[in-house]
Amino acid sequence: MTRTDKMTHSSPSLRKRTPADCVMKQLLFGTAGAPLSSKKKGSIDGIRRIAQLGLGCMELEFVRGVRMKEETAANVRQTAEEENVALSVHAPYYINLNSAEEEKITASVQRIYESARIGALCGASSIVFHPAYYQGHSSKKVMEKVTGLLEGLTSGLSDEGIDVVLRPETTGKATQFGSLEETLMMATAIEGVMPCIDFSHLHARSCGEYNTIEEFRSVLESVESALGREGLENMHCHISGIAYGNKGEKNHLILQESDLNYTDLMAVFREFDVKGLVICESPNLEDDAMLLQDTFRQ
């Protein structure tokens, strides 16, 4: 019996969603980019390898720029549909919606827009991005600036019929805007925005916290409190091993070479009956994605 079978919950009023932003039937596991064992490194071969491995999703990595052509995107979509693999997109790293330079803000918005446009042609429903840096400003001031820009962007995407969900990601360093609370605030404030919860980033940003069964429960309780059951049934998560210091994230690690308590995290996912996509960013990609999937299912 799941947690939701055992208790009732009074969810907040949910905002109107786009068709892409709907609850999922199960929790799918996959990789950030093509699996390392793919015959070729392109997205199409990556999708086929995901299916061969028995995984269910893949994140298209546009992190160095959106270079995919529309014709290729159509082929990616067809392959994903044939192989029954769900797709998401990670937008370029070079995004800072709180830059002191207006041209960099304009470029950042354009990068998210292009990621959404091409991602939608690929059939991806979620566009993940790192939203901003504080750069000496308060959380409140950055929140006002970022939400204003995202409101305009989601409105423009909707007007153009680009059916995606924008997902600001929880970030791994204290200098980066994107704590759990900030990320959930953006999701509750803006239609067409949902969170990407990177559990490795939460662990690194806090210098070792967010690693017990109680702390994992608190994260999912916060998601449910902010977004209702829909928040848990349409999750997008990143998980990997991670190295960190007193300034937060250093680099990704293989899960079993890190201190991330992924076993209890998967148990809490089952307890809360979480659905959506889990993207593994470990250096061994598909090995850890399959480890997470196996752990969850057991």
Side-chain angles (χ1 to χ4, degrees), residues 2-272:
T2 67
R3 173 177 170 275
T4 49
D5 293 325
K6 296 177 183 177
M7 65 178 288
T8 59
H9 176 78
S10 178
S11 299
S13 298
L14 297 178
R15 297 159 293 148
K16 180 178 180 290
R17 298 293 184 194
T18 62
D21 196 8
C22 58
V23 297
M24 296 196 67
K25 296 180 179 179
Q26 59 184 312
L27 190 63
L28 303 177
F29 293 81
T31 59
L36 301 176
S37 56
S38 303
K39 289 184 179 180
K40 298 179 181 178
K41 296 307 176 186
S43 299
I44 290 173
D45 283 279
I47 292 165
R48 289 176 177 148
R49 184 58 180 154
I50 286 286
Q52 291 170 355
L53 292 167
L55 295 168
C57 60
M58 192 178 88
E59 193 162 82
L60 302 169
E61 299 297 286
F62 294 169
V63 295
R64 305 297 178 190
V66 185
R67 301 188 178 98
M68 185 180 289
K69 305 299 183 183
E70 292 182 5
E71 182 180 358
T72 303
N75 292 333
V76 166
R77 183 182 193 125
Q78 181 179 348
T79 304
E81 290 174 351
E82 291 171 351
E83 300 290 353
N84 196 29
V85 171
L87 298 178
S88 61
V89 162
H90 197 304
Y93 290 139
Y94 312 109
I95 289 171
N96 181 7
L97 298 176
N98 188 45
S99 175
E101 301 171 56
E102 200 62 39
E103 61 270 23
K104 289 185 178 180
I105 292 177
T106 300
S108 294
V109 171
Q110 184 64 22
R111 288 179 180 122
I112 300 172
Y113 169 81
E114 281 298 315
S115 298
R117 187 179 71 84
I118 296 297
L121 294 175
C122 291
S125 59
S126 291
I127 312 300
V128 177
F129 60 98
H130 303 159
Y133 290 82
Y134 294 110
Q135 297 189 217
H137 297 137
S138 68
S139 173
K140 181 180 179 181
K141 185 172 182 179
V142 180
M143 180 69 71
E144 290 173 351
K145 190 167 187 177
V146 170
T147 53
L149 290 165
L150 291 182
E151 284 171 352
L153 184 52
T154 55
S155 177
L157 290 171
S158 178
D159 289 345
E160 292 187 36
I162 299 174
D163 185 17
V164 296
V165 179
L166 300 184
R167 290 189 181 263
E169 180 180 344
T170 55
T171 50
K173 296 181 180 180
T175 55
Q176 295 172 296
F177 176 76
S179 68
L180 176 63
E181 295 77 12
E182 290 163 344
T183 304
L184 291 176
M185 284 178 68
M186 284 184 277
T188 57
I190 310 167
E191 184 176 333
V193 170
M194 291 284 279
C196 172
I197 307 294
D198 189 316
F199 283 88
S200 305
H201 282 171
L202 293 180
H203 182 47
R205 184 186 179 103
S206 63
C207 301
E209 296 179 8
Y210 292 104
N211 205 35
T212 67
I213 199 162
E214 293 81 9
E215 288 169 325
F216 294 143
R217 283 173 178 152
S218 75
V219 174
L220 298 188
E221 286 166 355
S222 294
V223 171
E224 187 175 22
S225 177
L227 301 170
R229 271 301 303 174
E230 183 188 8
L232 299 179
E233 294 182 352
N234 185 17
M235 286 199 74
H236 191 94
C237 306
H238 286 175
I239 301 173
S240 71
I242 196 160
Y244 56 90
N246 57 11
K247 294 183 179 180
E249 175 188 13
K250 289 185 176 179
N251 56 272
H252 292 145
L253 298 173
I254 293 170
L255 278 170
Q256 293 181 323
E257 295 177 1
S258 75
D259 68 350
L260 188 74
N261 184 9
Y262 66 90
T263 303
D264 278 353
L265 177 56
M266 292 302 100
V268 171
F269 277 6
R270 287 185 63 88
E271 179 184 340
F272 280 71

